Amino acid sequence: MTAPLFDADFVDRLDELFRWRRDVRHFTADPVPDAVMETLLAAVRWAPSVGNAQPWRFVRLRSPALRHRLADHVDAESRAAAANLSNEGRRDRYATLKLHGLREAPEVLAVFHDVDPLAGHGLGRATMPGTLRDSTVIAIHTLWLAAHARGYGLGWVSILDPDAVSAMLRVPPHWSFVALLCLGRPVAPSAVPELERRDWQAREPIADRLFER
């Protein structure tokens, strides 16, 4: 088998994909066709994982009632988080942010990792079991890029109680919660993160996060 060659035009387009990938909170009502969902979720299998354990577990939420419960839960957790902000100006700004699209996104996925998957036979994680979660996060990023390349946006909802979400979804006890994701067509694609546009946090130079020893 001959490895493909990626020319300069491809590399430029790949860099564009990285720059334009956004955490989306505003979605249109357009449904995501089942064939597209199958393609996106199939792309996850190409994500790297420790020991090739493939520990990710995706739960596709079909129940409107369950989605409503999750949205109410996230709203309540968000209000509690806002109340804990000591800076009044920051607290007021927080109240203006849209932090999830659980009610309007056409697709919602909950993502877990299996804490002791049979696949991989324990390779590579004996001293660092957290690599199972790390592998699942990389799988989410793979999904994120695959979605954006096809004109879809993904939003990661993190203001929640993982145990409460796991209980709502009745997942096996050996599944550990990682993420709640909203997926659909973005209302207004942008190369600038919404939190930067809303003056919450700008992108900072990589030089500030690069060290040598």
Side-chain angles (χ1 to χ4, degrees), residues 110-127:
V111 189
F112 301 81
H113 82 265
D114 191 325
V115 300
D116 191 21
L118 292 176
H121 309 286
L123 180 66
R125 63 180 193 260
T127 59

Side-chain angles (χ1 to χ4, degrees), residues 91-209:
R91 188 167 59 247
D92 292 342
R93 194 175 303 161
Y94 182 102
T96 69
L97 299 175
K98 180 174 175 58
L99 299 174
H100 69 83
L102 289 168
R103 291 187 173 86
E104 61 267 28
E107 293 285 343
V108 175
L109 298 166
V111 189
F112 301 81
H113 82 265
D114 191 325
V115 300
D116 191 21
L118 292 176
H121 309 286
L123 180 66
R125 63 180 193 260
T127 59
M128 295 182 64
T131 51
L132 291 168
R133 180 184 178 88
D134 298 338
S135 299
T136 303
V137 171
I138 296 174
I140 293 169
H141 191 242
T142 301
L143 173 66
W144 217 327
L145 294 177
H148 188 79
R150 292 165 173 80
Y152 293 91
L154 186 147
W156 187 321
V157 184
S158 60
I159 306 172
L160 46 76
D161 179 340
D163 291 337
V165 173
S166 297
M168 283 186 213
L169 300 183
R170 304 190 307 278
V171 298
H174 57 280
W175 288 14
S176 178
F177 179 83
V178 178
L180 187 61
L181 308 175
C182 300
L183 177 65
R185 293 280 188 192
V187 169
S190 174
V192 181
E194 181 169 351
L195 292 180
E196 186 169 348
R197 298 197 309 270
R198 301 295 296 274
D199 195 30
W200 182 267
Q201 177 62 58
R203 184 79 69 188
E204 297 187 347
I206 187 62
D208 293 348
R209 284 151 173 77

Side-chain angles (χ1 to χ4, degrees), residues 2 8 18 21 26 29 34 42 52 66 71 77 81 86 108 131 135 139-140 151 153-154 161-162 165 188 194-195 212:
T2 302
F18 292 150
R21 182 218 52 81
H26 306 268
D34 282 342
N52 205 19
L66 189 52
E77 292 293 322
S86 58
V108 175
T131 51
S135 299
I140 293 169
L154 186 147
D161 179 340
V165 173
E194 181 169 351
L195 292 180
E212 296 184 3

Side-chain angles (χ1 to χ4, degrees), residues 70-88:
L70 281 169
D72 285 348
H73 169 74
V74 171
D75 287 342
E77 292 293 322
S78 182
R79 287 191 295 270
N84 287 328
L85 293 174
S86 58
N87 182 290
E88 183 177 356

